[in-house]
Amino acid sequence: GNEMPPRLLLAFTAIPLLGCDGPAPYTLGSGLVPDEAFHAQARAAFATYQAISFAEDIEVCGYFGLDAQGAFIASGPARGTNDSCAVEDIPDALVDIVASYHTHSSFDTDADSEVPSTDDMLSDMDEEVFGYIGTPGGRFWLVDWRAATATQLCGLYCLNSDEDFIRGDAGPIAQSYTLDDLYTREGR
């Protein structure tokens, strides 16, 4: 029929930036739900983000959303450290933020980087945005802030992977995790 795709159902909630005069030029927690086409565009963008992440041994991050015409757009990528990243600049053209994105840096046997962390999920829940995460093994995760779950959109080697990645180093990886599952995995 004439139904609109879910990603076009809008619920505007402008969040003002602290220290700024007036509302932000974008909508955070817009209520948009990413669909398969949105996932595909996000996945394509990760080819560049993963390459930067592995080459520089850093996390890169930003936001995916829509411009004023409803077209897919990304901020950044911002460059972080090997275990964190903060978005500093959001382009004015990104008017509806749908999801955060970040990589999990390059492979490190001391990091449980093949799954989202509780901090990853809690950040997305706090901002009321979905979250895309790329891992050193090439897994592509989606955090659903509404359900407090993380699900692999595609598994091992689906995205480009770090040449130093050791398959199986992180132990068994489930297809999806709840926030409680991640707390258990982290030993908390």
Side-chain angles (χ1 to χ4, degrees):
N2 290 334
E3 295 180 36
M4 292 183 2
R7 72 178 183 93
L8 297 179
L9 299 176
L10 304 178
F12 293 99
T13 314
I15 307 292
L17 290 173
L18 296 176
C20 294
D21 296 326
Y26 57 87
T27 303
L28 185 62
S30 64
L32 297 169
V33 177
D35 60 10
E36 292 302 319
F38 197 93
H39 295 329
Q41 291 174 296
R43 181 179 172 188
F46 263 84
T48 299
Y49 306 152
Q50 294 278 91
I52 294 167
S53 191
F54 304 148
E56 299 179 23
D57 189 26
I58 59 170
E59 290 192 0
V60 298
C61 61
Y63 289 104
F64 293 135
L66 302 176
D67 66 14
Q69 289 73 44
F72 181 90
I73 187 173
S75 71
R79 285 167 161 79
T81 66
N82 70 338
D83 65 357
S84 68
C85 190
V87 179
E88 296 177 12
D89 295 314
I90 299 173
D92 288 345
L94 203 169
V95 295
D96 287 311
I97 294 176
V98 177
S100 69
Y101 71 80
H102 75 278
T103 64
H104 271 181
S105 192
S106 57
F107 179 70
D108 180 346
T109 57
D110 295 327
D112 192 15
S113 56
E114 284 305 299
V115 298
S117 69
T118 54
D119 288 343
D120 294 339
M121 189 176 288
L122 291 168
S123 290
D124 290 331
M125 290 169 65
D126 183 56
E127 292 185 342
E128 297 184 358
V129 295
F130 292 84
Y132 290 98
I133 301 165
T135 72
R139 288 182 170 89
F140 189 45
W141 290 90
L142 178 68
V143 171
D144 183 336
W145 66 272
R146 305 163 306 173
T149 59
T151 303
Q152 288 187 64
L153 293 178
C154 52
L156 209 54
Y157 308 118
C158 137
L159 300 174
N160 42 331
S161 59
D162 186 347
E163 63 186 19
D164 296 327
F165 174 72
I166 301 169
R167 185 180 183 143
D169 182 74
I173 306 293
Q175 177 63 30
S176 64
Y177 292 94
T178 64
L179 182 58
D180 286 341
D181 294 337
L182 292 174
Y183 275 122
T184 300
R185 186 174 171 99
E186 292 174 1
R188 301 202 262 165

